Amino acid sequence: MAREQEDTGAGVLVLAGTPIGRPDDATYRLVRELTTADVVAAEDTRRLRRLASNLDVRLPGRVVSYFEGNEESRTPELVSALRDGARVMLVTDAGMPSVSDPGYRLVEAALGAGARVTAVPGPSAVLTALAVSGLPVARFAFEGFPPRRAGERARWFAALAGEERTLVFFESRHRLASTLRMMADSFGADRQAVVCRELTKRHEEIRRDVLDRLATWAETENPLGEITIVVTGAPASAGRDPSVSLEAAVETVAERVATGSSRKDAIAGVAREFGLRKRELYDAVVNQRSA
């Protein structure tokens, strides 16, 4: 297939990974590609020029913007350049294009036009966070940014509660505290997690703890910067056992509350022991009280 693409005479699309923090994380090949590309499409042209200045690189090619707002309209222009044989380079603000960033639409269109698509491997917040997390990395799932709306986000986390692979998320600093609190509610307050902030930058911070305490830290400190969250997967036994009666679990919660436990602690403990989602058990307890 690659041979057929080259024979069309179309150009090459280069997806280039850029530093997620320190400019000196850039590869030699990134520098070379920046100096030879006919067109450089950048998520933020100002950040691109700042990176080029830090790397002491001159950009001889045409520089154009390519971001979420103009991705649909700009793609045909870049595909036209590829059809004419140009070497088109795509860079985002940090990391690899297409990974929670613009790129997929252009890759799909470039392949459809018979262009060759290649990549300049580079820094990745996903893999960097996994590597330093200290959590299991043999199997993992990258989930990107959680939904912005609180209700949709809560339902999304509830659906992931039984996932046994280590989970990786990006999140805005503005929603970090509420997201960690929702994770604690859905995954369990004592689920191990790691918050990676400003990876490879001067103020890099890696905080390892259970979700409940991480949520409290974020609520108190309101940390700034680029955030990656790594959460350990659910235990293999965390799935709902069809033989477990939700009614029996509710009764057990009532018994523990009657003997002095707080409702919160009773629900958390029973949910863990019965293999139930805490939110599911909480809703059942509340519904019984209001019945």
Side-chain angles (χ1 to χ4, degrees):
M1 180 63 71
R3 184 71 259 170
E4 293 174 359
Q5 289 172 342
E6 290 176 3
D7 290 345
T8 66
V12 179
L13 173 62
V14 182
L15 306 174
T18 54
I20 59 175
R22 297 161 54 102
D24 54 2
D25 287 339
T27 65
Y28 288 116
R29 188 177 165 207
L30 174 64
V31 172
R32 187 174 71 249
E33 292 286 353
L34 285 169
T35 62
T36 57
D38 299 303
V39 181
V40 181
E43 186 176 12
D44 184 328
T45 58
R46 292 169 299 180
R47 292 186 66 162
L48 168 66
R49 295 188 188 281
R50 187 159 60 247
L51 174 64
S53 175
N54 288 332
L55 299 177
D56 196 23
V57 169
R58 188 176 68 88
L59 300 171
R62 183 165 60 97
V63 174
V64 300
S65 63
Y66 190 80
F67 58 97
E68 185 178 0
N70 73 352
E71 190 175 4
E72 183 174 359
S73 61
R74 182 74 79 185
T75 293
E77 174 188 334
L78 296 176
V79 170
S80 177
L82 287 167
R83 286 199 177 101
D84 291 339
R87 191 172 187 86
V88 176
M89 185 177 187
L90 177 63
V91 297
T92 55
D93 290 348
M96 182 62 65
S98 294
V99 181
S100 289
D101 278 323
Y104 170 75
R105 186 192 300 269
L106 181 56
V107 170
E108 184 181 38
L111 292 172
R116 186 163 66 91
V117 177
T118 187
V120 176
S124 164
V126 176
L127 297 181
T128 302
L130 275 168
V132 302
S133 70
L135 301 180
V137 297
R139 298 174 64 239
F140 67 90
F142 173 58
E143 296 292 339
F145 283 93
R148 293 187 178 187
R149 294 183 178 179
E152 185 180 352
R153 204 177 341 152
R155 291 189 294 273
W156 193 64
F157 286 136
L160 289 171
E163 173 58 63
E164 296 178 14
R165 293 173 293 180
T166 296
L167 297 168
V168 185
F169 305 88
F170 290 159
E171 186 52 292
S172 161
R173 65 182 181 86
H174 303 291
R175 292 185 296 274
L176 177 62
S178 63
T179 285
L180 288 170
R181 184 58 65 196
M182 286 183 184
M183 286 180 172
D185 290 341
S186 297
F187 300 164
D190 57 354
R191 182 85 71 93
Q192 290 289 328
V194 179
V195 175
C196 301
R197 186 179 71 85
E198 296 288 88
L199 282 169
T200 84
K201 298 179 184 178
R202 179 180 179 183
H203 298 292
E204 175 182 274
E205 180 178 14
I206 300 169
R207 187 168 287 266
R208 304 172 179 87
D209 211 326
V210 296
L211 282 168
D212 183 62
R213 286 196 289 267
L214 286 172
T216 300
W217 161 75
E219 290 160 354
T220 304
E221 299 295 331
N222 190 27
L224 306 179
E226 302 290 333
I227 305 291
T228 305
I229 306 170
V230 186
V231 183
T232 193
S237 60
R240 172 75 178 273
D241 184 345
S243 67
V244 170
S245 165
L246 187 57
E247 291 74 16
V250 171
E251 290 177 7
T252 304
V253 169
E255 292 170 1
R256 295 189 183 182
V257 170
T259 58
S261 293
S262 70
R263 188 173 70 169
K264 178 180 178 181
D265 289 343
I267 289 174
V270 173
R272 184 166 54 250
E273 294 165 22
F274 280 57
L276 299 171
R277 287 198 294 268
K278 189 166 68 171
R279 174 58 63 179
E280 176 185 20
L281 181 55
Y282 173 82
D283 290 342
V285 169
V286 171
N287 289 337
Q288 186 192 59
R289 286 170 60 91
S290 60

